[in-house]
Amino acid sequence: MTENRANGTAPVTAPQHSVEGFVKEFLRELHFGQGVTLARASDNDQYLALARTVREYLMARWLETLRRQFDAQAKSVAYLSAEYLLGRQLDNALIATDLTEIVEEGLASLGIDLATLREQEVEPGLGNGGLGRLAACFVDSLATMSVPCIGYGIRYEYGIFRQTFVDGWQVEQPDTWLSLGAPWEFPHPEHSVPVHFGGHTETYDDGGVERTRWVPAWDVLGVPYNYMVPGYQNGRVNTLRLWSARATKAFDLQIFNSGEYVDAVRAQTFAENISKVLYPEDSTPQGKELRLQQQYFFVACSIRDFVENVLPEDFDLHDLPERIIFQLNDTHPVIAVPELMRILVDEKKWDWDEAWAVTQKCFAYTCHTLLPEALEVWPVELLGRLLPRHLEIIYRINDDFLAEVAQRFPGDELRLRRMSIIAEHPERSVRMAYLATVAGAKVNGVAELHSQLLRDKVLPDFSEYWPDKFTNVTNGVTPRRFVRLANPALSELITDAVGPGWVTDLERLREMEPLADDAEFRERFRAVKAHNKDRLNALLQRRDGITLPADAMLDVMVKRLHEYKRQTLKVLHIVSQYERIVSGELDPTSIPRRVFAFGAKAAPGYKMAKQIIGLINHVGAVVNTDPRVQGALTVVFPPNYNVTLAETLIPAADLSEQISLAGKEASGTGNMKFALNGALTIGTDDGANVEIRQLVGDDHFFLFGLLEPQVEQVVAAGYEPSRYYEENRTLRRAIDLIASGAFANGDRKVFEPIVSNLLHEDRFLVLADFQSYVEAQERVDAAYLDTEGWTRSAILNVARSGFFSSDRSMWDYIDRIWHAQPVVAR
Ligand code: 26V
């Protein structure tokens, strides 16, 4: 299945939409696809046969979608993303095709439990966190909205590591997601694309015009693997195309022929390393050569693919902006900009200005961070060695751009230095965010506050220069996966209340608002929560041997482990509650019982983050077993938090922890998933929390902490964390307890780095926000004791969060950035 130019294929029909039709297809797949009889089939055989059966139902839609899009000559979105965190595919395909009941019944007639087969699927963890999951939500929405989109990315052989705990400390295991078969992918080696690296450039005379050509030193092949992106019950299936690196034939033949067999095999491994492993997001971005290879590899393949395989053969590239918008998901794919220029100028022999005019209309850039250390730069030395022609092109783009700036601001040398795409210190390097901003038609942040700070703090000169280039699109999440699929009980309740339309029109949740005042509805809503908690409990018992206490508030903090997200603030709260209980200050029976659930992976090289994971687990080990606590506090930290676990954890939550330091979290998307599933948020005025609070209302959101401008004032005044330690007794006691070794069998050294960091550095103002956080948690306790009031707030959180559908985000992108259109049935 591929988007090549051939159309007019014979119609492909889907298997029958009936229990008998399904059973027939399933057994056929088991026998002829897996080569086993039902009696001898393992769970994995059955899962693979089921997956292949379900994808057959999608196949006709896929081909039809491509035909329609081709015939319509519609503008496509090419979403360029180094990460996609898709989650499991089976259930999503089932809800998209409305096959769940048929499949459940059909399998049951064969004595098979659908739930058992679901569990067989290993999710493709081809991303780190929010950025990758957002990409997956966006492609889901575009398919559901019938908007042509190809998601382009990398088929990592090893995705995000599998996290285990050994004595409470994180240990990483390789993620072998492909090892038991990959039934959702369609490899197309016949559409492989060569990608070149290294070498040098030379100029030559082309009929009186001086031109440049790149003479590369080595190359690899990009093999496309297609994945279906089914729209929700709309007959559409878009494509996600992930690239895998292979050695080129030319490359091996040369060496094999020279008799160097072992070297040839080694060369193959070298080429295939490019798509071998996902880079974990780290505390400091490393200028890793392999990472730049990955970035260029996938964008070079993607642009070539679009131009040569998706567009019609006689297509005039001057019209490219009418047919494509390349959306740059952060700076990872920004090398696509000089690549398109290289194709137009060197290969198609266009004038520079002509090429630049087209290129500038084909790209838009989304920034996903505010941390200066997370902004990518590539040393000129490395870029020049790996992609010499691209470096020349970047220089030329920069020269032309700075000449323009100089004209507008004559004599303003400092401004030129600030705005240069090339940084001179600490080493000469290319600022990828600047390149993206100069080249992109639009630049957007991912929440209102983030977009404002992006304009004012990260790219102030650029937003002054091009005020209209900057825009905001607040992130969203797909209601298909994060409500309909993850929370069937709530979905049923919502459908009873407002009808089924909400799944693709989430603002309809508003119609539930009056039901917050209906006691019977609140009762049903609580039953849904209780059911979801039971479901979580069963999963955690099966998965990790964890048992949750009954009738406790479930307080959840799940997200990547990073200091700016402040998991330590949560730990300090738990430790201080514990300390107050054991010192007799707090009666444990006077507060609602709480389960503190964490889920977080730390980048393998990020020492402090791994320490914090160790601390959480060690605090849990002490608190959970101390009889004086009387079960009032329980800490659970199931390992390997991923999309699959999120789907069971989030629907069970009562309280959502969104406690980053104001001005640091670009948006957050977990915050939206919790609100949509009826958890109340305790959060700072940061990222999309700001918009959540505005929508759900202050009375239904626990706000605490410094506001962003206050953070700046505190820092400017010379922040001294030790002052808070000295002045706040509760805080001091909590920190002292950690420092005493109470959570490390009396060893004071184990958590000393965390303690000393908090007392002497505390870059993210944990101590400054502690008191405010504790007070907000007291408000949470009081509110939770009012069961009816809490339920009312929870219902209003659901009813007022329709804005956070990724469908809305996609309409905003279409409106403000892409100007693409749905392709409607003809
Ligand atoms: C990368 C790095 C690299 C080294 C320095 C520390 C650091 C910190 C964060 C990152 C991730 C940057 C990109 C990213 O994943 N951003 C996330 O994007 C989400 C989707 O827009 C958004 O909801 C999160 O707030 C944002 O952190």
Side-chain angles (χ1 to χ4, degrees), residues 67-113:
R67 188 193 62 77
R68 273 195 203 150
Q69 291 177 358
F70 186 90
D71 289 354
Q73 302 278 297
K75 184 170 184 176
S76 288
V77 177
Y79 201 77
L80 297 180
S81 177
E83 304 189 7
Y84 290 90
L85 265 182
L86 297 171
R88 287 179 175 164
Q89 298 300 291
L90 176 61
D91 255 326
N92 191 52
L94 288 177
I95 63 162
T97 45
D98 201 13
L99 273 172
T100 312
E101 280 172 19
I102 286 177
V103 166
E104 218 154 22
E105 211 182 300
L107 289 176
S109 75
L110 301 172
I112 302 169
D113 183 12

Side-chain angles (χ1 to χ4, degrees), residues 219 221 246-261 263-269 271-272:
D219 58 7
L221 274 185
R246 296 274 179 286
T248 51
K249 280 215 185 70
F251 204 99
D252 324 325
L253 267 181
Q254 226 174 26
I255 312 180
F256 275 112
N257 288 345
S258 72
E260 302 290 342
Y261 175 78
D263 282 352
V265 174
R266 200 180 296 133
Q268 212 154 1
T269 310
E272 287 166 12

Side-chain angles (χ1 to χ4, degrees), residues 130-131 134 281-285 330 368-369 371 373-374 446 475 562 564 665-669:
L131 172 140
L134 187 77
E281 131 196 334
D282 221 318
S283 61
T284 48
D330 221 278
H368 293 267
T369 188
L371 302 184
E373 68 268 36
V446 289
N475 282 168
H562 206 288
Y564 84 80
E665 188 70 272
S667 160
T669 44

Side-chain angles (χ1 to χ4, degrees), residues 95-242:
I95 63 162
T97 45
D98 201 13
L99 273 172
T100 312
E101 280 172 19
I102 286 177
V103 166
E104 218 154 22
E105 211 182 300
L107 289 176
S109 75
L110 301 172
I112 302 169
D113 183 12
L114 171 59
T116 309
L117 301 196
R118 273 189 189 120
E119 296 293 308
Q120 299 306 306
E121 182 171 357
V122 183
E123 69 168 72
L126 310 183
N128 275 291
L131 172 140
R133 182 54 237 177
L134 187 77
C137 284
F138 282 2
V139 294
D140 175 272
S141 282
L142 289 172
T144 296
M145 292 154 55
S146 303
V147 175
C149 166
I150 308 182
Y152 283 115
I154 302 175
R155 177 184 176 273
Y156 302 104
E157 195 175 327
Y158 296 91
I160 184 82
F161 63 87
R162 187 165 60 82
Q163 179 191 52
T164 61
F165 295 143
V166 175
D167 299 331
W169 302 97
Q170 172 176 298
V171 173
E172 303 87 22
Q173 305 288 344
D175 158 51
T176 54
W177 70 288
L178 292 167
S179 66
L180 288 177
W184 301 103
E185 63 182 24
F186 296 79
H188 280 281
E190 77 284 6
H191 286 289
S192 294
V193 176
V195 181
H196 304 278
F197 291 96
H200 62 276
T201 64
E202 57 194 29
T203 50
Y204 65 100
D205 178 74
D206 181 38
V209 184
E210 187 186 80
R211 300 205 169 272
T212 306
R213 73 177 148 232
W214 176 20
V215 186
W218 55 282
D219 58 7
V220 300
L221 274 185
V223 181
Y225 283 69
N226 292 339
Y227 298 75
M228 302 193 239
V229 183
Y232 180 76
Q233 301 185 1
N234 68 340
R236 305 307 161 94
V237 179
N238 278 348
T239 304
L240 174 65
R241 185 161 297 152
L242 304 182

